[in-house]
Amino acid sequence: MSEKVLQYNKPSLQGSLTVPGDKSVSHRSVMFGSIATGTTTVEGFLLGEDCLSTIDCFQKLGVHIEVEGTSVKIESPGMDSWQEPTEVLYTGNSGTTTRLMLGILAGSSVHSVMTGDASIGKRPMRRVIDPLRQMGAHITGRADGQYTPLAIQGTKLQAIEYNMPVASAQVKSAILLAGLRAEGTTIVRETEVSRDHTERMLRQFGADVEVKDGVVSLEGGQALSGTHVSVPGDISSAAFFLVAGAICHNSQLTLENVGVNPTRDGIIEVLSKMGATMTVMPNDNSQAEPTATIQIQTSTLSGTTIEGDMIPRLIDEIPILALLATQAHGQTIIKDAEELKVKETDRITAVVAELKKLGANIEATNDGMIIEGPTPLKGASLKTYGDHRIGMMGAVAALMTEGPVTLDDAQCIAVSYPSFFEHIEAVR
Ligand code: S3P
């Protein structure tokens, strides 16, 4: 654990940043490039620890992957020629790696064992394994497959029709990736639409995927072929600077090349609704994932309610939105967000406990939190719970406090945003 003391003396923030590549798209680029036959090139790849775990797992399956700066080249013989890994596949802190790989490995021709860090060891896997078992997958693990380590014996799969019990792109993607290898047409029905990077990228790699009224259908047995993937900047990383720009005094920030996929852009809608002074300038959007340049400045904000089908569109931004709400006038209610309890840590408990230490008026509810603002924030010693987004929330809070903020473990931020503190230095 690396403790970090942050004393920023309430800076005004100015300048322009290009946030690192999108985590979800980076993971998928390596996964799809490894499933595909031929060469895939990726630009703008996120060199965060989570995505490096994905690369490491596929290298252990015999896929040739080279990283040079933020460019990645994947040369795969195709999934049928993967080699049986002689070592355990280690997925680190990454839920996306663990869950999507379950879907991929279930229909492969190899046996593998997968495990991750202490946080992964507590995250529910049955949400993925149950539908995969319905497809015929052979997966065993602790608590009948609820927790890692998990062993997967690749086998022939059958398509299923599946009604999603929770809005989860990880579950949807695992089923679709298994469906790619299954006999028949796999159909996934969502009541609330989760991020659709998998659907977009399947098409980019040459597969036919139909999406209509929240129903995704995919014919099994389709082959993918290598292609070029351009990774947009991660809106979930940009979120920390969007909030910092809105709450720090006398500030103006420009964020370039931010991914604004409509299944991910809930934070833009919420910032606008709360009164943020912000401009979103779309780029040439011929790519699979749309991007924009976003400008934001110090804003007078009012409280709001965040609920329902908005939640999956900003699920990873809730910690930083809670901090934003401490600076807004009136009450902010976040509800329908029980999923926060099964993220890298229980983010309802963690956000409420840490923001309280900073002087916020915030209470936890069963499915979210209620925040009254505005409240001045004071320095404190914070826990990150090994969760990158809790760590970055604490660091952005430190821009608002008189006294120092200490993070017990700042290293965890490298999971999704290794250059985070350099970017703070560049704009303060
Ligand atoms: C992700 C999906 C989300 C998100 C996670 C990345 C993905 O999780 O929280 O950070 O890449 O598919 P769920 O699908 O479990 O909600």
Side-chain angles (χ1 to χ4, degrees):
M1 292 226 283
S2 62
E3 186 181 278
K4 195 167 177 91
V5 181
L6 304 168
Q7 172 86 63
Y8 290 131
N9 304 316
K10 296 191 164 191
S12 94
L13 306 179
Q14 303 291 333
S16 173
L17 291 173
T18 303
V19 291
D22 187 275
K23 184 156 75 69
S24 294
V25 177
S26 296
H27 280 303
R28 286 164 174 77
S29 67
V30 170
M31 293 175 179
F32 286 60
S34 300
I35 294 170
T37 308
T39 304
T40 292
T41 49
V42 186
E43 64 175 321
F45 187 82
L46 169 63
L47 293 167
E49 285 170 6
D50 267 12
C51 299
L52 296 175
S53 295
T54 297
I55 291 185
D56 186 57
C57 289
F58 283 98
Q59 285 173 330
K60 289 194 173 121
L61 285 156
V63 179
H64 188 80
I65 305 175
E66 275 171 42
V67 183
E68 210 184 307
T70 59
S71 296
V72 180
K73 188 171 171 190
I74 304 141
E75 281 171 295
S76 178
M79 213 172 145
D80 287 317
S81 306
W82 286 354
Q83 67 197 30
E84 210 152 46
T86 53
E87 288 171 68
V88 171
L89 303 177
Y90 183 69
T91 60
N93 190 242
S94 177
T96 306
T97 312
T98 312
R99 296 204 177 106
L100 270 61
M101 286 204 67
L102 282 170
I104 297 169
L105 292 165
S108 73
S109 49
V110 301
H111 174 271
S112 52
V113 178
M114 194 160 56
T115 198
D117 69 4
S119 155
I120 280 294
K122 294 188 202 132
R123 298 185 67 184
M125 296 298 153
R126 285 287 295 270
R127 52 175 55 198
V128 175
I129 291 170
D130 286 349
L132 292 178
R133 282 179 176 159
Q134 287 176 33
M135 299 175 83
H138 297 312
I139 303 173
T140 54
R142 273 193 305 140
D144 194 20
Q146 180 69 314
Y147 302 115
T148 56
L150 296 162
I152 308 108
Q153 175 61 62
T155 189
K156 192 105 204 84
L157 302 176
Q158 296 297 321
I160 47 164
E161 285 194 36
Y162 194 69
N163 295 330
M164 295 279 295
V166 284
S168 165
Q170 292 178 353
V171 176
K172 172 177 65 175
S173 302
I175 298 170
L176 291 175
L177 290 165
L180 205 53
R181 302 279 291 179
E183 202 180 317
T185 305
T186 294
I187 297 173
V188 181
R189 287 195 193 87
E190 293 191 288
T191 39
E192 280 162 5
V193 174
S194 63
R195 61 190 69 190
D196 68 354
H197 304 299
T198 294
E199 296 87 312
R200 286 171 187 254
M201 205 179 279
L202 277 168
R203 292 201 188 100
Q204 232 184 318
F205 278 79
D208 244 354
V209 191
E210 198 183 297
V211 184
K212 210 174 158 212
D213 303 329
V215 183
V216 188
S217 322
L218 174 82
E219 187 80 45
Q222 300 187 62
L224 303 186
S225 40
T227 187
H228 180 71
V229 178
S230 171
V231 182
D234 198 328
I235 192 167
S236 300
S237 298
F240 294 96
F241 287 96
L242 289 173
V243 168
I247 63 179
C248 290
H249 72 97
N250 217 1
S251 297
Q252 174 153 17
L253 292 177
T254 303
L255 302 170
E256 316 260 11
N257 190 39
V258 182
V260 288
N261 177 318
T263 60
R264 291 283 300 282
D265 68 353
I267 187 167
I268 295 178
E269 215 169 301
V270 167
L271 276 165
S272 306
K273 207 165 118 196
M274 292 175 81
T277 311
M278 181 181 59
T279 325
V280 180
M281 293 158 283
N283 296 331
D284 151 37
N285 279 321
S286 51
Q287 305 285 344
E289 295 282 348
T291 60
T293 299
I294 307 178
Q295 243 171 29
I296 192 148
Q297 62 192 65
T298 312
S299 308
T300 305
L301 302 161
S302 50
T304 189
T305 298
I306 308 173
E307 61 184 333
D309 57 10
M310 177 60 89
I311 297 294
R313 290 175 58 211
L314 47 64
I315 187 72
D316 293 340
E317 287 66 82
I318 291 178
I320 194 64
L321 282 171
L323 173 65
L324 177 79
T326 69
Q327 303 309 303
H329 295 261
Q331 193 172 62
T332 294
I333 302 172
I334 300 172
K335 56 184 189 184
D336 305 322
E338 301 90 336
E339 275 295 296
L340 291 175
K341 294 180 183 167
V342 290
K343 292 295 174 189
E344 284 82 333
T345 187
D346 174 346
R347 285 186 177 159
I348 296 180
T349 306
V351 165
V352 171
E354 302 316 298
L355 289 182
K356 269 193 177 164
K357 290 181 193 163
L358 293 159
N361 184 348
I362 180 168
E363 293 303 331
T365 61
N366 259 343
D367 63 347
M369 52 199 92
I370 300 176
I371 305 132
E372 289 289 341
T375 41
L377 300 179
K378 55 175 198 260
S381 280
L382 301 183
K383 265 176 73 172
T384 64
Y385 307 79
D387 182 330
H388 52 134
R389 300 202 200 277
I390 303 295
M392 288 187 275
M393 177 194 78
V396 173
L399 296 165
M400 301 292 292
T401 60
E402 295 282 359
V405 167
T406 304
L407 300 180
D408 66 341
D409 170 22
Q411 177 53 35
C412 62
I413 291 171
V415 153
S416 66
Y417 203 158
S419 54
F420 176 71
F421 288 109
E422 286 156 44
H423 282 186
I424 289 192
E425 291 311 314
V427 294
R428 83 179 175 102

